[in-house]
Amino acid sequence: MPVIKIPTPLRPYAGGQNEITVQGSIVIEVLRDLVTQYPALEKHLFSTEDKLRPYVNLFLGEEDVRYLQGEATILKEDDKLRIIPSIAGGCDRDAFTPGVVVRCDIGLATNLSHSDNPQSTNR
């Protein structure tokens, strides 16, 4: 049976598991089986209109299923489907620790040693 790999942020809604064996022969069937087994996942994967949320990315191997046959992508018995959540957010300069240079204009936070940090006064 196919397996769905659960990302860390969704594991609390999946009994803490990182992989769940599911039944089905296409992507939408295994997702429906997943939320039948773990109903708390449903609101994180599907909208109130019962559509897969746009920020839920599904990969079969290295392929994004959107570029295969989408929810109708056929799965083999030994396939592993990965849920990769989109990551988005703002920038809060105050949320970072000292020694971290934050470029909010490009959303980049990089750890630099004091000697590499042009803004550091501790050279």
PDB file of all heavy atoms in Angstrom, residues 7-35:
ATOM      1  N   PRO A   7       4.827  15.869   7.173  1.00  0.00           N
ATOM      2  CA  PRO A   7       5.816  16.851   7.627  1.00  0.00           C
ATOM      3  C   PRO A   7       5.653  17.155   9.115  1.00  0.00           C
ATOM      4  O   PRO A   7       4.564  17.002   9.673  1.00  0.00           O
ATOM      5  CB  PRO A   7       5.517  18.074   6.766  1.00  0.00           C
ATOM      6  CG  PRO A   7       4.066  17.954   6.451  1.00  0.00           C
ATOM      7  CD  PRO A   7       3.791  16.473   6.338  1.00  0.00           C
ATOM      8  N   THR A   8       6.700  17.585   9.723  1.00  0.00           N
ATOM      9  CA  THR A   8       6.721  17.860  11.160  1.00  0.00           C
ATOM     10  C   THR A   8       5.558  18.737  11.633  1.00  0.00           C
ATOM     11  O   THR A   8       4.922  18.411  12.631  1.00  0.00           O
ATOM     12  CB  THR A   8       8.071  18.477  11.561  1.00  0.00           C
ATOM     13  OG1 THR A   8       9.110  17.570  11.174  1.00  0.00           O
ATOM     14  CG2 THR A   8       8.156  18.722  13.056  1.00  0.00           C
ATOM     15  N   PRO A   9       5.214  19.843  10.939  1.00  0.00           N
ATOM     16  CA  PRO A   9       4.120  20.682  11.450  1.00  0.00           C
ATOM     17  C   PRO A   9       2.758  19.977  11.499  1.00  0.00           C
ATOM     18  O   PRO A   9       1.892  20.379  12.258  1.00  0.00           O
ATOM     19  CB  PRO A   9       4.067  21.857  10.471  1.00  0.00           C
ATOM     20  CG  PRO A   9       5.378  21.859   9.784  1.00  0.00           C
ATOM     21  CD  PRO A   9       5.863  20.451   9.776  1.00  0.00           C
ATOM     22  N   LEU A  10       2.576  18.933  10.689  1.00  0.00           N
ATOM     23  CA  LEU A  10       1.286  18.239  10.669  1.00  0.00           C
ATOM     24  C   LEU A  10       1.260  16.981  11.545  1.00  0.00           C
ATOM     25  O   LEU A  10       0.199  16.401  11.755  1.00  0.00           O
ATOM     26  CB  LEU A  10       0.907  17.860   9.228  1.00  0.00           C
ATOM     27  CG  LEU A  10       0.618  19.026   8.289  1.00  0.00           C
ATOM     28  CD1 LEU A  10       0.283  18.515   6.896  1.00  0.00           C
ATOM     29  CD2 LEU A  10      -0.495  19.906   8.828  1.00  0.00           C
ATOM     30  N   ARG A  11       2.380  16.576  12.061  1.00  0.00           N
ATOM     31  CA  ARG A  11       2.432  15.343  12.862  1.00  0.00           C
ATOM     32  C   ARG A  11       1.558  15.353  14.103  1.00  0.00           C
ATOM     33  O   ARG A  11       0.984  14.321  14.447  1.00  0.00           O
ATOM     34  CB  ARG A  11       3.882  15.001  13.209  1.00  0.00           C
ATOM     35  CG  ARG A  11       4.641  14.542  11.997  1.00  0.00           C
ATOM     36  CD  ARG A  11       6.073  14.213  12.302  1.00  0.00           C
ATOM     37  NE  ARG A  11       6.788  14.038  11.034  1.00  0.00           N
ATOM     38  CZ  ARG A  11       8.080  14.038  10.920  1.00  0.00           C
ATOM     39  NH1 ARG A  11       8.847  14.186  12.002  1.00  0.00           N
ATOM     40  NH2 ARG A  11       8.638  13.885   9.743  1.00  0.00           N
ATOM     41  N   PRO A  12       1.385  16.474  14.787  1.00  0.00           N
ATOM     42  CA  PRO A  12       0.482  16.459  15.946  1.00  0.00           C
ATOM     43  C   PRO A  12      -0.949  16.067  15.582  1.00  0.00           C
ATOM     44  O   PRO A  12      -1.685  15.556  16.411  1.00  0.00           O
ATOM     45  CB  PRO A  12       0.531  17.897  16.474  1.00  0.00           C
ATOM     46  CG  PRO A  12       1.840  18.426  16.001  1.00  0.00           C
ATOM     47  CD  PRO A  12       2.077  17.761  14.669  1.00  0.00           C
ATOM     48  N   TYR A  13      -1.341  16.292  14.331  1.00  0.00           N
ATOM     49  CA  TYR A  13      -2.689  15.956  13.872  1.00  0.00           C
ATOM     50  C   TYR A  13      -2.763  14.545  13.295  1.00  0.00           C
ATOM     51  O   TYR A  13      -3.826  14.097  12.890  1.00  0.00           O
ATOM     52  CB  TYR A  13      -3.146  16.971  12.817  1.00  0.00           C
ATOM     53  CG  TYR A  13      -2.950  18.391  13.294  1.00  0.00           C
ATOM     54  CD1 TYR A  13      -1.890  19.151  12.827  1.00  0.00           C
ATOM     55  CD2 TYR A  13      -3.805  18.947  14.238  1.00  0.00           C
ATOM     56  CE1 TYR A  13      -1.689  20.444  13.289  1.00  0.00           C
ATOM     57  CE2 TYR A  13      -3.610  20.233  14.701  1.00  0.00           C
ATOM     58  CZ  TYR A  13      -2.549  20.980  14.220  1.00  0.00           C
ATOM     59  OH  TYR A  13      -2.350  22.257  14.693  1.00  0.00           O
ATOM     60  N   ALA A  14      -1.602  13.879  13.269  1.00  0.00           N
ATOM     61  CA  ALA A  14      -1.514  12.522  12.712  1.00  0.00           C
ATOM     62  C   ALA A  14      -0.949  11.552  13.742  1.00  0.00           C
ATOM     63  O   ALA A  14      -0.203  10.639  13.395  1.00  0.00           O
ATOM     64  CB  ALA A  14      -0.656  12.537  11.453  1.00  0.00           C
ATOM     65  N   GLY A  15      -1.281  11.780  14.985  1.00  0.00           N
ATOM     66  CA  GLY A  15      -0.819  10.883  16.041  1.00  0.00           C
ATOM     67  C   GLY A  15       0.681  10.867  16.217  1.00  0.00           C
ATOM     68  O   GLY A  15       1.247   9.893  16.710  1.00  0.00           O
ATOM     69  N   GLY A  16       1.362  11.925  15.778  1.00  0.00           N
ATOM     70  CA  GLY A  16       2.806  12.016  15.923  1.00  0.00           C
ATOM     71  C   GLY A  16       3.589  11.193  14.908  1.00  0.00           C
ATOM     72  O   GLY A  16       4.817  11.167  14.961  1.00  0.00           O
ATOM     73  N   GLN A  17       2.911  10.578  13.983  1.00  0.00           N
ATOM     74  CA  GLN A  17       3.584   9.706  13.019  1.00  0.00           C
ATOM     75  C   GLN A  17       4.228  10.505  11.884  1.00  0.00           C
ATOM     76  O   GLN A  17       3.706  11.529  11.470  1.00  0.00           O
ATOM     77  CB  GLN A  17       2.592   8.713  12.430  1.00  0.00           C
ATOM     78  CG  GLN A  17       2.030   7.767  13.481  1.00  0.00           C
ATOM     79  CD  GLN A  17       1.211   6.692  12.818  1.00  0.00           C
ATOM     80  OE1 GLN A  17       1.728   5.905  12.036  1.00  0.00           O
ATOM     81  NE2 GLN A  17      -0.078   6.683  13.126  1.00  0.00           N
ATOM     82  N   ASN A  18       5.346   9.974  11.379  1.00  0.00           N
ATOM     83  CA  ASN A  18       5.991  10.632  10.246  1.00  0.00           C
ATOM     84  C   ASN A  18       5.649   9.958   8.917  1.00  0.00           C
ATOM     85  O   ASN A  18       5.861  10.537   7.861  1.00  0.00           O
ATOM     86  CB  ASN A  18       7.499  10.725  10.433  1.00  0.00           C
ATOM     87  CG  ASN A  18       8.169   9.380  10.500  1.00  0.00           C
ATOM     88  OD1 ASN A  18       7.526   8.346  10.641  1.00  0.00           O
ATOM     89  ND2 ASN A  18       9.479   9.373  10.396  1.00  0.00           N
ATOM     90  N   GLU A  19       5.134   8.743   8.966  1.00  0.00           N
ATOM     91  CA  GLU A  19       4.678   8.030   7.772  1.00  0.00           C
ATOM     92  C   GLU A  19       3.402   7.275   8.100  1.00  0.00           C
ATOM     93  O   GLU A  19       3.288   6.688   9.171  1.00  0.00           O
ATOM     94  CB  GLU A  19       5.711   7.015   7.287  1.00  0.00           C
ATOM     95  CG  GLU A  19       6.932   7.605   6.672  1.00  0.00           C
ATOM     96  CD  GLU A  19       7.818   6.550   6.038  1.00  0.00           C
ATOM     97  OE1 GLU A  19       7.586   5.338   6.209  1.00  0.00           O
ATOM     98  OE2 GLU A  19       8.771   6.957   5.355  1.00  0.00           O
ATOM     99  N   ILE A  20       2.463   7.306   7.155  1.00  0.00           N
ATOM    100  CA  ILE A  20       1.192   6.621   7.362  1.00  0.00           C
ATOM    101  C   ILE A  20       0.870   5.817   6.110  1.00  0.00           C
ATOM    102  O   ILE A  20       0.892   6.351   4.995  1.00  0.00           O
ATOM    103  CB  ILE A  20       0.063   7.627   7.667  1.00  0.00           C
ATOM    104  CG1 ILE A  20       0.384   8.382   8.961  1.00  0.00           C
ATOM    105  CG2 ILE A  20      -1.284   6.917   7.764  1.00  0.00           C
ATOM    106  CD1 ILE A  20      -0.510   9.551   9.240  1.00  0.00           C
ATOM    107  N   THR A  21       0.587   4.548   6.303  1.00  0.00           N
ATOM    108  CA  THR A  21       0.172   3.683   5.206  1.00  0.00           C
ATOM    109  C   THR A  21      -1.285   3.969   4.893  1.00  0.00           C
ATOM    110  O   THR A  21      -2.121   4.049   5.789  1.00  0.00           O
ATOM    111  CB  THR A  21       0.366   2.205   5.584  1.00  0.00           C
ATOM    112  OG1 THR A  21       1.748   2.007   5.898  1.00  0.00           O
ATOM    113  CG2 THR A  21      -0.025   1.287   4.452  1.00  0.00           C
ATOM    114  N   VAL A  22      -1.562   4.152   3.609  1.00  0.00           N
ATOM    115  CA  VAL A  22      -2.909   4.527   3.170  1.00  0.00           C
ATOM    116  C   VAL A  22      -3.379   3.605   2.054  1.00  0.00           C
ATOM    117  O   VAL A  22      -2.579   2.935   1.405  1.00  0.00           O
ATOM    118  CB  VAL A  22      -2.942   5.997   2.691  1.00  0.00           C
ATOM    119  CG1 VAL A  22      -2.832   6.951   3.859  1.00  0.00           C
ATOM    120  CG2 VAL A  22      -1.852   6.265   1.677  1.00  0.00           C
ATOM    121  N   GLN A  23      -4.672   3.602   1.851  1.00  0.00           N
ATOM    122  CA  GLN A  23      -5.266   2.815   0.775  1.00  0.00           C
ATOM    123  C   GLN A  23      -5.726   3.748  -0.333  1.00  0.00           C
ATOM    124  O   GLN A  23      -6.198   4.853  -0.070  1.00  0.00           O
ATOM    125  CB  GLN A  23      -6.452   2.011   1.298  1.00  0.00           C
ATOM    126  CG  GLN A  23      -6.049   0.954   2.286  1.00  0.00           C
ATOM    127  CD  GLN A  23      -7.243   0.123   2.738  1.00  0.00           C
ATOM    128  OE1 GLN A  23      -8.355   0.293   2.274  1.00  0.00           O
ATOM    129  NE2 GLN A  23      -6.990  -0.789   3.660  1.00  0.00           N
ATOM    130  N   GLY A  24      -5.602   3.263  -1.558  1.00  0.00           N
ATOM    131  CA  GLY A  24      -6.048   4.026  -2.713  1.00  0.00           C
ATOM    132  C   GLY A  24      -5.104   3.820  -3.875  1.00  0.00           C
ATOM    133  O   GLY A  24      -3.959   3.397  -3.699  1.00  0.00           O
ATOM    134  N   SER A  25      -5.587   4.135  -5.059  1.00  0.00           N
ATOM    135  CA  SER A  25      -4.763   3.947  -6.249  1.00  0.00           C
ATOM    136  C   SER A  25      -4.429   5.264  -6.942  1.00  0.00           C
ATOM    137  O   SER A  25      -3.629   5.295  -7.856  1.00  0.00           O
ATOM    138  CB  SER A  25      -5.458   3.011  -7.235  1.00  0.00           C
ATOM    139  OG  SER A  25      -6.713   3.544  -7.606  1.00  0.00           O
ATOM    140  N   ILE A  26      -5.068   6.362  -6.495  1.00  0.00           N
ATOM    141  CA  ILE A  26      -4.731   7.691  -7.006  1.00  0.00           C
ATOM    142  C   ILE A  26      -4.576   8.645  -5.819  1.00  0.00           C
ATOM    143  O   ILE A  26      -5.020   8.354  -4.709  1.00  0.00           O
ATOM    144  CB  ILE A  26      -5.774   8.221  -8.020  1.00  0.00           C
ATOM    145  CG1 ILE A  26      -7.156   8.372  -7.374  1.00  0.00           C
ATOM    146  CG2 ILE A  26      -5.841   7.346  -9.263  1.00  0.00           C
ATOM    147  CD1 ILE A  26      -8.189   9.055  -8.278  1.00  0.00           C
ATOM    148  N   VAL A  27      -3.950   9.766  -6.080  1.00  0.00           N
ATOM    149  CA  VAL A  27      -3.609  10.717  -5.012  1.00  0.00           C
ATOM    150  C   VAL A  27      -4.810  11.110  -4.172  1.00  0.00           C
ATOM    151  O   VAL A  27      -4.766  11.060  -2.940  1.00  0.00           O
ATOM    152  CB  VAL A  27      -2.902  11.954  -5.604  1.00  0.00           C
ATOM    153  CG1 VAL A  27      -2.798  13.070  -4.574  1.00  0.00           C
ATOM    154  CG2 VAL A  27      -1.521  11.580  -6.118  1.00  0.00           C
ATOM    155  N   ILE A  28      -5.917  11.493  -4.789  1.00  0.00           N
ATOM    156  CA  ILE A  28      -7.066  11.957  -4.006  1.00  0.00           C
ATOM    157  C   ILE A  28      -7.612  10.845  -3.112  1.00  0.00           C
ATOM    158  O   ILE A  28      -8.047  11.108  -1.990  1.00  0.00           O
ATOM    159  CB  ILE A  28      -8.163  12.584  -4.898  1.00  0.00           C
ATOM    160  CG1 ILE A  28      -9.192  13.340  -4.049  1.00  0.00           C
ATOM    161  CG2 ILE A  28      -8.833  11.541  -5.770  1.00  0.00           C
ATOM    162  CD1 ILE A  28      -8.649  14.511  -3.288  1.00  0.00           C
ATOM    163  N   GLU A  29      -7.567   9.606  -3.573  1.00  0.00           N
ATOM    164  CA  GLU A  29      -8.063   8.485  -2.754  1.00  0.00           C
ATOM    165  C   GLU A  29      -7.203   8.281  -1.519  1.00  0.00           C
ATOM    166  O   GLU A  29      -7.739   8.070  -0.422  1.00  0.00           O
ATOM    167  CB  GLU A  29      -8.105   7.197  -3.578  1.00  0.00           C
ATOM    168  CG  GLU A  29      -9.155   7.163  -4.643  1.00  0.00           C
ATOM    169  CD  GLU A  29      -9.078   5.935  -5.532  1.00  0.00           C
ATOM    170  OE1 GLU A  29      -8.115   5.137  -5.423  1.00  0.00           O
ATOM    171  OE2 GLU A  29     -10.002   5.765  -6.351  1.00  0.00           O
ATOM    172  N   VAL A  30      -5.875   8.375  -1.675  1.00  0.00           N
ATOM    173  CA  VAL A  30      -5.022   8.169  -0.501  1.00  0.00           C
ATOM    174  C   VAL A  30      -5.134   9.339   0.468  1.00  0.00           C
ATOM    175  O   VAL A  30      -5.070   9.158   1.685  1.00  0.00           O
ATOM    176  CB  VAL A  30      -3.549   7.865  -0.872  1.00  0.00           C
ATOM    177  CG1 VAL A  30      -3.446   6.596  -1.685  1.00  0.00           C
ATOM    178  CG2 VAL A  30      -2.871   9.016  -1.567  1.00  0.00           C
ATOM    179  N   LEU A  31      -5.348  10.547  -0.052  1.00  0.00           N
ATOM    180  CA  LEU A  31      -5.557  11.694   0.841  1.00  0.00           C
ATOM    181  C   LEU A  31      -6.863  11.554   1.614  1.00  0.00           C
ATOM    182  O   LEU A  31      -6.927  11.864   2.808  1.00  0.00           O
ATOM    183  CB  LEU A  31      -5.545  12.999   0.048  1.00  0.00           C
ATOM    184  CG  LEU A  31      -4.200  13.415  -0.521  1.00  0.00           C
ATOM    185  CD1 LEU A  31      -4.360  14.632  -1.415  1.00  0.00           C
ATOM    186  CD2 LEU A  31      -3.188  13.676   0.585  1.00  0.00           C
ATOM    187  N   ARG A  32      -7.897  11.077   0.949  1.00  0.00           N
ATOM    188  CA  ARG A  32      -9.183  10.856   1.627  1.00  0.00           C
ATOM    189  C   ARG A  32      -9.038   9.775   2.698  1.00  0.00           C
ATOM    190  O   ARG A  32      -9.598   9.894   3.789  1.00  0.00           O
ATOM    191  CB  ARG A  32     -10.272  10.472   0.625  1.00  0.00           C
ATOM    192  CG  ARG A  32     -10.699  11.608  -0.236  1.00  0.00           C
ATOM    193  CD  ARG A  32     -11.511  12.579   0.584  1.00  0.00           C
ATOM    194  NE  ARG A  32     -11.667  13.831  -0.121  1.00  0.00           N
ATOM    195  CZ  ARG A  32     -11.755  14.993   0.477  1.00  0.00           C
ATOM    196  NH1 ARG A  32     -11.710  15.081   1.783  1.00  0.00           N
ATOM    197  NH2 ARG A  32     -11.907  16.095  -0.208  1.00  0.00           N
ATOM    198  N   ASP A  33      -8.275   8.730   2.389  1.00  0.00           N
ATOM    199  CA  ASP A  33      -8.046   7.691   3.391  1.00  0.00           C
ATOM    200  C   ASP A  33      -7.252   8.252   4.572  1.00  0.00           C
ATOM    201  O   ASP A  33      -7.536   7.940   5.723  1.00  0.00           O
ATOM    202  CB  ASP A  33      -7.324   6.492   2.770  1.00  0.00           C
ATOM    203  CG  ASP A  33      -7.206   5.346   3.757  1.00  0.00           C
ATOM    204  OD1 ASP A  33      -8.258   4.895   4.291  1.00  0.00           O
ATOM    205  OD2 ASP A  33      -6.069   4.904   4.024  1.00  0.00           O
ATOM    206  N   LEU A  34      -6.289   9.107   4.278  1.00  0.00           N
ATOM    207  CA  LEU A  34      -5.492   9.730   5.339  1.00  0.00           C
ATOM    208  C   LEU A  34      -6.376  10.519   6.299  1.00  0.00           C
ATOM    209  O   LEU A  34      -6.274  10.369   7.520  1.00  0.00           O
ATOM    210  CB  LEU A  34      -4.426  10.643   4.728  1.00  0.00           C
ATOM    211  CG  LEU A  34      -3.565  11.421   5.711  1.00  0.00           C
ATOM    212  CD1 LEU A  34      -2.679  10.482   6.522  1.00  0.00           C
ATOM    213  CD2 LEU A  34      -2.729  12.455   4.961  1.00  0.00           C
ATOM    214  N   VAL A  35      -7.281  11.353   5.765  1.00  0.00           N
ATOM    215  CA  VAL A  35      -8.125  12.158   6.650  1.00  0.00           C
ATOM    216  C   VAL A  35      -9.229  11.322   7.298  1.00  0.00           C
ATOM    217  O   VAL A  35      -9.777  11.729   8.322  1.00  0.00           O
ATOM    218  CB  VAL A  35      -8.693  13.421   5.965  1.00  0.00           C
ATOM    219  CG1 VAL A  35      -7.561  14.341   5.528  1.00  0.00           C
ATOM    220  CG2 VAL A  35      -9.598  13.085   4.813  1.00  0.00           C
TER     221      VAL A  35
END
